[in-house]
Amino acid sequence: MLRQWEMGELSGGPWHSAAGGLLPPRGGAVIGVLAEQSLSPRELLRYDRQLSIVGVRGQEKLKRMSVLVAGAGGLGSFELLYLAAVGVGRLVVVDGDVVDETNLNRQVLHWEEDIGRPKAVSAAEKLKRFNPFIEVVPVAEPITRSNVEELVSSVDAVVDGLDSWETRFLLDEACYRLGKPFIHAGVHGLEGQVVPIVPGETPCLRCLLPERLTAPPKIPAVGFVVGTIAGIAVAELVKLFLGIGETNKGNMIVFDANSMEIMKIDLKPRPGCSCPRPTK
């Protein structure tokens, strides 16, 4: 049960609980209003430096796009910032945790005054101030088997900002069944990885990685590595969605800050693993 004070209003609109059936349909106003999809003069000015890369039609497509970011911690903070900066029109921020002081070395959407507050709410407030032309839906709950289908079905794609393999695989399964791209991202110390998963074009994440993976209770992380991996994850999603550049579907991109090297690993499906069947 959500605490009563958490169900108050945020910047003029309520924030939402997936388990409580309150997640609004795509396009519903929560924080900001996502109305017609044409770009205003102010938006054209805001995105001027990237229009030569994505084009006006590409920018309009980004404005129509809806992305769930799983986790509003280190990876999630940077992923959300980069998605908001590029102009993705609807961001669903899902995190059941609250801000504590040990988060502040890397979780850039949370500040000193946010300690003790829900991360989803804290992140959503900053994102709306950062880009008033986007819609932000905060969901202050953990991702579970009971709410994952509703969450994933409400968006076009999912980006991983988690530190739990169990939850990652739960999301991966739901994304694969529902036909939604899933961009896996992870960090450990001075290294990080990204794997873009596209149902029907690549195996699922569980097929590509060892069958059993566990994360340590406390994962070492520093902001500049987290930000680099988040940037790679968002780049892969934008390239995939707009059909620009060369995507790395089904490959693992590995960044090593020790040597400042980036490697691409061609992943092969694990024998005996079958991807979830699509929902009819």
Side-chain angles (χ1 to χ4, degrees):
M1 181 66 66
L2 297 173
R3 288 171 290 185
Q4 188 173 4
W5 67 268
E6 291 174 340
M7 293 302 291
E9 291 194 348
L10 174 63
S11 300
W15 59 274
H16 295 266
S17 158
L22 299 176
L23 192 66
R26 285 186 58 185
V30 178
I31 304 176
V33 177
L34 184 62
E36 60 186 39
Q37 304 304 327
S38 59
L39 299 170
S40 68
R42 285 189 62 202
E43 287 173 290
L44 289 170
L45 182 62
R46 184 185 188 95
Y47 303 124
D48 175 69
R49 293 296 186 96
Q50 65 194 48
L51 291 179
S52 62
I53 301 170
V54 304
V56 173
R57 289 187 179 180
Q59 193 65 51
E60 289 174 341
K61 192 172 183 180
L62 288 171
K63 185 173 180 177
R64 293 191 297 269
M65 190 179 186
S66 180
V67 177
L68 184 154
V69 176
L75 277 169
S77 285
F78 282 103
E79 290 163 350
L80 286 161
L81 271 174
Y82 296 147
L83 289 165
V86 82
V88 170
R90 183 174 187 261
L91 297 175
V92 179
V93 187
V94 186
D95 197 309
D97 201 2
V98 298
V99 180
D100 70 56
E101 196 160 3
T102 65
N103 301 149
L104 302 184
N105 79 311
R106 66 202 181 281
Q107 300 186 15
V108 294
L109 287 178
H110 311 304
W111 304 340
E112 188 79 20
E113 60 266 31
D114 297 312
I115 292 173
R117 301 182 68 218
K119 289 184 181 180
V121 176
S122 169
E125 287 179 343
K126 312 303 191 312
L127 292 166
K128 184 54 194 169
R129 289 168 61 188
F130 177 61
N131 188 347
F133 299 105
I134 65 172
E135 176 189 352
V136 187
V137 183
V139 180
E141 295 181 2
I143 295 169
T144 65
R145 195 164 292 279
S146 64
N147 66 14
V148 67
E149 294 272 341
E150 180 187 356
L151 289 168
V152 173
S153 65
S154 73
V155 296
D156 297 313
V158 175
V159 180
D160 176 9
L162 298 165
D163 56 11
S164 162
W165 283 104
E166 181 180 354
T167 309
R168 280 189 177 116
F169 287 139
L170 186 65
L171 265 179
D172 174 55
E173 291 169 8
C175 286
Y176 215 88
R177 281 195 302 272
L178 296 169
K180 307 296 177 77
F182 175 56
I183 310 298
H184 158 64
V187 167
H188 191 281
L190 294 179
E191 297 181 352
Q193 65 193 37
V194 173
V195 183
I197 303 295
V198 182
E201 298 184 39
T202 73
C204 67
L205 185 66
R206 192 183 290 275
C207 287
L208 295 174
L209 298 180
E211 188 171 6
R212 295 178 181 175
L213 289 169
T214 58
K218 185 183 293 186
I219 298 174
V222 63
F224 54 81
V225 176
V226 174
T228 301
I229 294 302
I232 293 172
V234 170
E236 287 299 314
L237 178 61
V238 170
K239 289 190 301 177
L240 179 68
F241 194 76
L242 297 185
I244 61 175
E246 182 180 334
T247 65
N248 290 279
K249 295 179 286 189
N251 294 324
M252 179 180 286
I253 305 164
V254 179
F255 170 68
D256 183 353
N258 284 294
S259 59
M260 283 299 170
E261 292 182 330
I262 296 180
M263 300 173 287
K264 291 198 292 186
I265 301 172
D266 184 15
L267 298 174
K268 302 298 183 184
R270 179 167 45 81
C273 181
S274 58
C275 296
R277 293 185 178 182
T279 302
K280 293 183 179 180

